[in-house]
Amino acid sequence: IQGSLSGRRWDCVSFIRGISSAGTSSSGGVKYTFSKSGLKPVLSSDTLSGSPSPQKIQVEFLASGLSQVDIQLATSNSKSAKEDSVAGSEGVARVHAAGERAGIPVGAFVIPRKLGLGTFREYAEFDASDLVQIPPQVPLETAASLSLGPAAAWRLLNDSHLKSGSIVAVYDSHTALGQALVQLCAFKGYKTICVLPDSKIPFWSTMSQLLKVLGADLVIPESKLLSVSSVMKDVLNDFGSADLCVTCGGSGESASASLKPLMKSGAKVVALDETSGLKSANSSMDSTEEKMWKELLEISELGRLKLWLKRMKLVDVSRALEYSQSESSDRKVILFTKAGEKYLASQ
C-alpha cells in the first residue's frame, strides 16, 4: 500500500505467502541487550535448529518497532531494564520450526502478546502461547508496531464504553500511540480533537495533514488552545466538548491543563501507557484479548491502521535511538533485520 504525504512517500509493505527460507541459520544470530552504557550487540546462542520442544516455536525476526518504552529503558539506566536481557517490546517474526503441540504452523507470521520477550534479535525460541499468529495480509511495518500502541489504544476505548459520536481529545496525537488512537476512534465512529504540543510546530503542516488523513476531525496547536480566542471558542462550541481526554506522550500535568478547555463536565483525563495493551508473563488469553486481536487484525488488513514510520537497520539501533530523541524526529522507527531487508527487497 503506497501513498504520499506533503510530497513525501510513505509505504506499508504487505506480506505475501511463500516467502523463501533464505537467511535461516543453524549458527547463532545477533541480539541487542541492555547494559549500563545502553544497548550492546551480543552473539546469541539462539539458533534455528529446527527441533523445538512440543509447545515452543523457533522464529526468525523480520522487523521490530522502536517504542518509547525501549527508548526510555535504553537511555535512562532504568532499574526496570535487567542487564543483559534482550531489548525490544514489539516486532514481527516468521516461524521456522514448531513443536508438535505449538498450534502455530511453520511459515506463519507472529507478534508478541506479552511484555518482555525481547524482539531486537535475529532468532529466538518462545512458548507458542506468548505469541499471536497474524494473517499474511497485514502490512509488515504495521505488524512490527501492533503489540504496543494499537493494543493500548484499543483497550482504553473498550474500557471507556463510549457511544457512537462521542468526542475524544488527544494530546500528543503526533506520536505513534496518538496516531493509533485517532484511527481506532475513526473506525469505531468517535470524533477526535487532536492537540499538537508547541514543540511540534515546525512539523505543523505535515503533522496536521497526516492526522486528518488518518481520521482526525479537528487538529489544534496547543498555543491556540490555551489562548482561547473568540474564534477558537466558537470553533470548540460548534464542535462540542470531549467525553474523554487522553495524553499520549507522558506530558503529565501540562498536558492535562491544556486539555481543560476541551473537557465536558465530568470527563476525565487519561495518561495512556503504551504497554497497557499487553499481558504480563504467565497469563492466558481471555475473551477480551481475543476480541482485541481480532479487531486490530481486521482493521490492519483493511488498511485502516497506518503509522508514519522511518525504516532503519537493526544494526543501526544506536543511531535510531539518537534520531528518536532528537528535535528533528517526526516518525517512529522500525528496525529491520537482515532477513527483513531481504524480504523488503523481494517485494
Side-chain angles (χ1 to χ4, degrees):
I1 304 169
Q2 298 177 333
S4 63
L5 183 66
S6 298
R8 303 186 190 181
R9 188 177 181 85
W10 57 310
D11 304 329
C12 288
V13 183
S14 299
F15 282 128
I16 58 172
R17 295 183 184 275
I19 297 176
S20 168
S21 61
T24 61
S25 173
S26 59
S27 60
V30 174
K31 61 184 178 182
Y32 290 82
T33 63
F34 292 109
S35 70
K36 293 180 180 179
S37 58
L39 296 183
K40 64 178 180 181
V42 176
L43 186 60
S44 172
S45 60
D46 296 325
T47 65
L48 298 180
S49 64
S51 55
S53 57
Q55 295 181 333
K56 291 184 177 291
I57 60 174
Q58 292 176 353
V59 302
E60 181 176 39
F61 274 98
L62 301 177
S64 300
L66 180 58
S67 68
Q68 287 301 311
V69 172
D70 301 320
I71 294 169
Q72 291 167 9
L73 291 177
T75 59
S76 65
N77 293 321
S78 172
K79 293 181 180 180
S80 299
K82 184 179 179 181
E83 192 168 353
D84 295 328
S85 62
V86 181
S89 304
E90 54 188 353
V92 58
R94 176 181 52 195
V95 178
H96 175 74
E100 58 186 19
R101 296 200 299 274
I104 299 178
V106 171
F109 297 97
V110 292
I111 61 175
R113 60 167 290 266
K114 292 183 180 179
L115 292 169
L117 295 187
T119 60
F120 290 0
R121 52 175 140 188
E122 293 182 280
Y123 313 130
E125 182 171 291
F126 297 119
D127 287 333
S129 61
D130 290 342
L131 304 168
V132 176
Q133 182 179 345
I134 65 172
Q137 293 80 15
V138 175
L140 181 64
E141 279 121 326
T142 300
S145 53
L146 196 62
S147 295
L148 291 185
W154 186 93
R155 283 193 181 273
L156 171 66
L157 296 178
N158 184 69
D159 294 344
S160 297
H161 305 294
L162 300 173
K163 299 177 181 178
S164 179
S166 294
I167 298 174
V168 180
V170 186
Y171 187 92
D172 278 332
S173 46
H174 64 285
T175 62
L177 180 56
Q179 292 173 37
L181 180 58
V182 167
Q183 291 174 90
L184 287 174
C185 284
F187 186 80
K188 291 177 175 292
Y190 310 146
K191 297 180 180 179
T192 49
I193 305 174
C194 292
V195 181
L196 290 178
D198 292 340
S199 62
K200 293 300 176 182
I201 290 302
F203 307 109
W204 167 256
S205 178
T206 299
M207 288 296 182
S208 60
Q209 184 183 351
L210 169 64
L211 289 167
K212 289 175 182 177
V213 168
L214 297 182
D217 295 279
L218 187 62
V219 185
I220 306 172
E222 182 180 17
S223 56
K224 293 283 187 182
L225 184 61
L226 292 176
S227 68
V228 196
S229 65
S230 58
V231 174
M232 184 58 65
K233 284 182 179 179
D234 289 341
V235 170
L236 296 178
N237 286 336
D238 290 341
F239 193 83
S241 300
D243 302 280
L244 174 66
C245 295
V246 186
T247 64
C248 294
S251 303
E253 294 182 3
S254 61
S256 297
S258 297
L259 291 172
K260 279 187 178 180
L262 302 174
M263 295 173 62
K264 183 178 292 185
S265 177
K268 59 181 180 179
V269 178
V270 177
L272 186 56
D273 179 350
E274 66 178 349
T275 66
S276 60
L278 288 190
K279 293 287 189 177
S280 56
N282 302 319
S283 58
S284 58
M285 189 178 297
D286 57 24
S287 59
T288 299
E289 186 181 358
E290 289 179 357
K291 179 182 178 184
M292 177 185 77
W293 291 121
K294 179 180 179 181
E295 289 191 10
L296 287 178
L297 293 173
E298 175 188 352
I299 296 169
S300 299
E301 284 189 87
L302 292 173
R304 298 281 299 274
L305 187 57
K306 302 175 182 178
L307 300 176
W308 199 28
L309 304 164
K310 181 180 182 68
R311 293 174 179 168
M312 298 184 73
K313 298 179 180 180
L314 179 59
V315 295
D316 294 328
V317 64
S318 294
R319 191 161 61 88
L321 285 168
E322 292 177 3
Y323 164 80
S324 298
Q325 296 175 89
S326 69
E327 292 184 0
S328 61
S329 171
D330 59 358
R331 283 172 277 180
K332 178 174 179 173
V333 172
I334 301 296
L335 300 165
F336 286 87
T337 62
K338 292 178 182 178
E341 291 178 59
K342 289 181 179 179
Y343 172 75
L344 288 181
S346 71
Q347 303 307 292

